[in-house]
């Protein structure tokens, strides 16, 4: 009798195993704005851009935890300062069209920042962490305090980015 139960249990397991394997949820995608791994920018350039615009203008809607707005604003200031001194032609083009605004109204329980790119550089990387990383020197990327900085900045985000590709009408 025990053999019959053991055998029937094994048969049930073998029967439903393929169904269970195919019903597993896909691996979770990382948030849209995770800090990049600390590596030289040359290696980062080999990867395809994560956030791009093919339209003449673009916007990113960025939800920041209300108690972390100072961290995001620090990050935005460092990004803009880095872009201002960038020698890379693409980063220079991106800097010319980049504006960052803070909405006066909260977005649910979060602060809302709007990052406007007009004009947007077609197919350039607009993931904020990746842009910032490209403006940093290898020494800055290796500095021990950089890991803490990335963590603080990543912790400020309440959600991933919302991207809007914009095209003018009626002009």
């Amino acid at each position: 009798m025990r053999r019959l139960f053991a055998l029937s249990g094994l048969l049930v397991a073998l029967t439903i195993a393929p169904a269970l394997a195919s019903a597993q949820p896909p691996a979770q995608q990382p948030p849209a704005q995770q800090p990049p791994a600390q590596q030289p920018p040359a290696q980062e350039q080999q990867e395809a851009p994560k956030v791009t615009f093919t339209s003449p203008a673009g916007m990113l809607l960025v939800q920041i935890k209300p108690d972390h707005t100072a961290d995001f604003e620090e990050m935005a200031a460092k990004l803009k300062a880095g872009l201002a001194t960038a020698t890379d032609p693409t980063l220079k083009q991106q800097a010319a069209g980049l504006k960052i605004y803070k909405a006066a109204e909260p977005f649910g329980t979060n602060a809302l920042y709007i990052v406007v790119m007009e004009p947007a550089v077609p197919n350039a990387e607009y993931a904020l962490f990746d842009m910032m990383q490209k403006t940093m020197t290898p020494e800055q990327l290796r500095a021990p305090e950089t890991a803490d900085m990335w963590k603080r900045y990543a912790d400020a985000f309440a959600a991933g980015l919302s991207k809007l590709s914009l095209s003018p009408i009626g002009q």
Side-chain angles (χ1 to χ4, degrees):
M1 190 73 152
R2 283 187 188 162
R3 281 189 188 168
L4 182 61
F5 284 122
L7 185 57
S8 63
L10 178 63
L11 288 174
V12 169
L14 290 174
T15 304
I16 63 170
L20 289 175
S22 65
Q24 290 180 355
Q28 286 190 335
Q29 295 297 320
Q33 280 296 306
Q34 282 193 336
Q38 291 187 19
Q39 57 187 338
Q43 290 179 354
E44 186 68 26
Q45 291 173 355
Q46 295 173 354
E47 293 181 16
K50 298 172 193 140
V51 180
T52 63
F53 296 97
T54 55
S55 58
M59 263 201 288
L60 298 174
L61 304 178
V62 184
Q63 294 183 55
I64 298 297
K65 296 172 188 169
D67 57 337
H68 289 275
T69 57
D71 291 329
F72 181 77
E73 290 177 15
E74 176 187 309
M75 179 185 146
K78 283 186 179 185
L79 174 62
K80 291 189 103 179
L83 288 172
T85 61
T87 56
D88 178 90
T90 301
L91 289 174
K92 283 184 173 185
Q93 281 183 286
Q94 288 176 284
L98 181 76
K99 292 184 178 102
I100 302 174
Y101 299 93
K102 182 178 182 185
E105 302 80 13
F107 192 78
T109 60
N110 299 314
L112 181 65
Y113 290 83
I114 294 94
V115 181
V116 178
M117 286 72 60
E118 186 174 13
V121 179
N123 300 310
E125 178 63 79
Y126 280 101
L128 300 176
F129 287 109
D130 292 351
M131 288 176 68
M132 189 169 158
Q133 181 187 27
K134 289 177 184 179
T135 69
M136 297 171 72
T137 66
E139 293 79 27
Q140 289 171 321
L141 290 169
R142 286 191 298 267
E145 62 273 10
T146 300
D148 293 332
M149 177 189 75
W150 290 131
K151 180 167 179 7
R152 270 190 316 112
Y153 294 167
D155 287 345
F157 285 74
L161 299 175
S162 295
K163 180 181 98 165
L164 301 171
S165 298
L166 306 171
S167 296
I169 60 167
Q171 292 180 347

